[in-house]
Amino acid sequence: MSVNLTRFSDYRSVIATVILFTLVNTHYFWEGKLGFFSLPIMLILVIIFIALIAKCLSHLLNAYKERFKNKDRLYTIVLMGILLTLIAIKPNGLISLNTLYGEDVLIAGNKREANCTTTLQLKSKGHFRYRDVCFGISDFTGTYVLRNDSLFFFNISPPFFHDDSFYKFAILEPFPTPRRVEILMLFKSKNDEHGYPLKVFKNELIK
């Protein structure tokens, strides 16, 4: 079924709005793969969003001057208005990551210098996301399997422009403090003697 773009008085703005709406609602698939480029691209999308709102308001003003007799302009206003309103109300998209992959059953992370953060989310449907935010957003995604008290990671999808290999497995270890903080130790191989510690904030997976 084809769409007749000639019915819109400003089809370029309509196309730009549809593309922006699509990008916003699929951001969890691409934003974490761009690394350093993710933040500049998000800034560009915000600028485009503001420009399209201004364009839609301009069409609304012109429609008022025309006494709303130009149907092509009205089609443009309605479609742009609906999509831009949805973006404003749901800036993280209409479908959440929890809808696709299930609720978080384990969350662990840490905070480093320069407000850089690392967060590992394990989802109830067997997927995980390892997000590193430091002058950009880098996501490793994949699946996990729980065997006894150990986690094993499979089907790793790394960010673009990223050469580092991901961790092979993780072990939950109690940290000797009065509050008994749990630490999830990530290892890249069986020969990894140090591991990478993440503080556990939520654990409904490993008891």
Side-chain angles (χ1 to χ4, degrees):
M1 181 179 177
S2 61
V3 178
N4 185 4
L5 293 176
T6 60
R7 299 209 62 173
F8 300 100
S9 61
D10 184 4
Y11 68 89
R12 290 183 179 86
S13 294
V14 170
I15 292 174
T17 304
V18 172
I19 292 175
L20 178 64
F21 180 78
T22 303
L23 290 174
V24 168
N25 282 276
T26 58
H27 71 94
Y28 33 75
F29 292 119
W30 57 263
E31 69 175 358
K33 302 301 180 182
L34 300 178
F36 173 79
F37 299 100
S38 59
L39 296 182
I41 289 177
M42 288 180 183
L43 179 60
I44 292 172
L45 293 181
V46 170
I47 294 173
I48 292 174
F49 175 68
I50 295 173
L52 289 173
I53 289 179
K55 193 70 173 178
C56 186
L57 292 175
S58 175
H59 280 299
L60 186 60
L61 179 61
N62 289 330
Y64 175 77
K65 292 178 180 179
E66 297 165 348
R67 298 181 181 276
F68 301 102
K69 292 181 179 180
N70 187 336
K71 291 184 178 181
D72 293 343
R73 191 183 301 280
L74 293 179
Y75 292 142
T76 299
I77 294 171
V78 170
L79 182 56
M80 290 183 66
I82 291 174
L83 296 183
L84 292 173
T85 300
L86 289 174
I87 292 173
I89 295 175
K90 294 283 188 178
N92 292 322
L94 298 176
I95 302 175
S96 68
L97 198 65
N98 290 346
T99 303
L100 294 175
Y101 300 123
E103 299 292 331
D104 293 324
V105 291
L106 189 146
I107 302 175
N110 64 24
K111 187 174 182 179
R112 308 186 303 279
E113 63 278 359
N115 288 324
C116 296
T117 61
T118 297
T119 305
L120 174 66
Q121 295 171 274
L122 302 185
K123 299 292 185 177
S124 60
K125 295 182 181 180
H127 293 263
F128 77 86
R129 180 175 71 177
Y130 177 94
R131 168 163 288 192
D132 189 84
V133 179
C134 191
F135 306 106
I137 302 174
S138 298
D139 283 354
F140 285 86
T141 56
T143 58
Y144 71 89
V145 173
L146 175 64
R147 297 172 184 168
N148 297 322
D149 61 345
S150 300
L151 289 165
F152 295 87
F153 303 109
F154 301 97
N155 305 313
I156 310 300
S157 175
F160 302 136
F161 322 112
H162 204 293
D163 297 329
D164 292 346
S165 60
F166 192 65
Y167 301 96
K168 298 296 184 182
F169 64 96
I171 298 175
L172 188 69
E173 299 180 352
F175 195 74
T177 64
R179 300 181 63 181
R180 197 181 177 275
V181 177
E182 291 181 315
I183 299 296
L184 189 69
M185 296 295 297
L186 306 180
F187 299 93
K188 290 194 172 183
S189 70
K190 293 182 179 179
N191 299 323
D192 187 350
E193 297 180 355
H194 302 288
Y196 183 61
L198 297 178
K199 181 180 178 181
V200 176
F201 301 105
K202 177 181 180 180
N203 179 16
E204 296 179 356
L205 181 67
I206 306 174
K207 305 297 184 181

